[in-house]
Amino acid sequence: MINMDIFHGFLDAIHHLPEMAQPTALTDAERVTKAKAVMRAKTDRGLALDLEACVNCGYCSEACHFYQSTQDPKYSPSRKLDLLRRVHARETSAFAPLKRLFTPDITVDDLKEWQELVYDSCTECGRCSMICPMGVNTARGVNVMREALFEAGLAPLELQAVAQEQAGRGTVFGVGPTELKQTLDVLRGQGIALPLDEPKADVMLVSTVIDVLLYQDALAATARILNHLGVRWTLRSAGFEAANFGLLSGSEALQHAATQRLIDEALVIGAKTVILPECGHAYPALRWEGRLADGQPLPFEVLAVSEYIGREISSGRLQLLPAKGEEANRKITYHDACKLARHGGVMDEPRAALQALGMNLIETTPTAEKNWCCGGGAGVFLLNRAEGLRHKAWAIKREQIEATGADTVVVSCASCRLNFMAGAEADQWNTKIDSVVEMVARQLPT
Ligand code: SF4
Ligand code: SF4
């Protein structure tokens, strides 16, 4: 059961984030110099090819929920990379001396204008790249722009505040080891075994501030599934937070520091597998970008919890009780989180889990890797200024789900779930919002 007071308290806390940020004092010239240094350093061969390959055909606009829901040309994906393109043309391209003659240099006003374009109006969902005939990876370019703006002290204050908290006190929204232990004690009171700080384990479970505070049932459900499977697992209080505000704000140093905490704890206990909670961006942060200090690949497997469950079900190790009565008649649809499906290829496993429930699973159109983003990912949900824009983009998602006739939409990302809940409340939308891990746990054999 979700405590709606906590949900509303979380929304309220977001409104106060800007007051908590410690802005960076830089002159305008310093901001431009720092931003350009990042853009130059990050423009490798792949990004240079992307910047030069765009033929301005505009197809990507049709794929972007922010453009589609507003029809405002400023939200066109290709335009989001224009500043990067200008710096590349003037400073790193083959004909830079010539291009400098007719390409204007960027200014601090440009950087401030682009803050909205690369934070508020891009969830780095990657949908535009699937449509682009030139294969331009806009999301990667947007991420480089975020890194440039962060270095220039121009990341949105909300993201600066949380990134600074995570880097400084090691907490996120005030949640650290003490709050984790309190939540675990509450869940243990329900009779669920939740090992913490075991010195050795095969599986390290990672959680997230949202589950510790709000979606405690998801954490409890994961524990029940692992216990049912007889896995030797543990949470680690020194490395349990999957949310990575370095990645979302654009700070590579903070991103690596947050990831390193998880890696260190997994190495200490000799984990063979790290299971990430229902959190979209945690997946690329650890699975694709996590590395050992010497740059070598991680010596353990990293799986999203929906991926892990789907594999266990497909292998026959995890069997569920079939839905009965009213439950068997439920019509459910699945929302693919962009970072899991489009970026990570995790599409079959959550579906294997949902099919095992014995309900009617109806796919959205389009679905899987072509699915529409919910509009709240990559930190957009935390940006107060983006609320109206985010709500417009969410309408595409809502209509897509309504067209299935499903009574329940199932998600596997807590950030998507927050955005769905906020959209549902604003629109008085009655479709039930559920999670893969919670639904599976409800049908475990006793
Ligand atoms: S990555 Fe997604 S949100 Fe960003 S420009 Fe492309 S389609 Fe739009
Ligand atoms: S679809 Fe590709 S080539 Fe066309 S405008 Fe968008 S980024 Fe450029």
Side-chain angles (χ1 to χ4, degrees), residues 50-51 53-62 76-79 81 85 128-129 131-138:
D50 278 345
L51 295 172
C54 176
V55 292
N56 272 316
C57 65
Y59 288 149
C60 51
S61 298
E62 306 303 315
S76 149
S78 60
R79 184 161 184 271
L81 301 190
R85 205 172 278 117
C128 49
S129 299
I131 306 296
C132 174
M134 309 304 286
V136 173
N137 188 346
T138 301

Side-chain angles (χ1 to χ4, degrees), residues 60-67 75-78 80 117-118 120-129 136-140 142 338-339 342-343 372-373 375 380:
C60 51
S61 298
E62 306 303 315
C64 178
H65 42 294
F66 292 110
Y67 175 85
Y75 296 132
S76 149
S78 60
K80 288 168 186 167
L117 300 183
V118 299
D120 307 35
S121 63
C122 183
T123 48
E124 299 184 6
C125 74
R127 195 166 191 270
C128 49
S129 299
V136 173
N137 188 346
T138 301
R140 194 203 158 205
V142 164
C338 304
K339 304 294 187 294
R342 201 157 22 243
H343 292 267
W372 283 100
C373 174
V380 173

Side-chain angles (χ1 to χ4, degrees), residues 312-388:
E312 293 300 297
I313 286 174
S314 297
S315 69
R317 286 188 291 272
L318 179 58
Q319 293 178 355
L320 303 180
L321 297 172
K324 287 189 188 141
E326 286 289 295
E327 285 291 291
N329 294 326
R330 272 174 75 179
K331 293 181 187 166
I332 60 173
T333 190
Y334 178 63
H335 165 69
D336 289 274
C338 304
K339 304 294 187 294
L340 290 176
R342 201 157 22 243
H343 292 267
V346 180
M347 292 172 276
D348 294 341
E349 296 87 349
R351 287 175 170 78
L354 295 179
Q355 276 154 2
L357 298 173
M359 300 174 187
N360 301 316
L361 176 62
I362 307 161
E363 293 286 354
T364 57
T365 306
T367 189
E369 74 276 15
K370 297 216 172 66
N371 189 33
W372 283 100
C373 174
C374 73
V380 173
F381 189 78
L382 298 184
L383 305 182
N384 292 294
R385 182 182 57 194
E387 192 175 342

Side-chain angles (χ1 to χ4, degrees), residues 166-228:
Q166 190 169 25
R169 293 170 43 204
T171 59
V172 177
F173 281 90
V175 170
T178 305
E179 292 71 24
L180 173 69
K181 284 181 186 126
Q182 286 168 354
T183 293
L184 297 186
D185 283 344
V186 169
L187 299 178
R188 286 180 186 129
Q190 299 168 10
I192 303 164
L194 284 134
L196 177 68
D197 291 333
E198 292 293 326
K200 293 288 168 198
D202 296 326
V203 170
M204 184 173 93
L205 177 65
V206 178
S207 189
T208 173
V209 52
I210 312 178
D211 285 0
V212 172
L213 287 178
L214 184 64
Y215 301 135
Q216 295 181 352
D217 287 353
L219 177 54
T222 309
R224 288 183 55 220
I225 293 165
L226 291 173
N227 292 340
H228 177 79

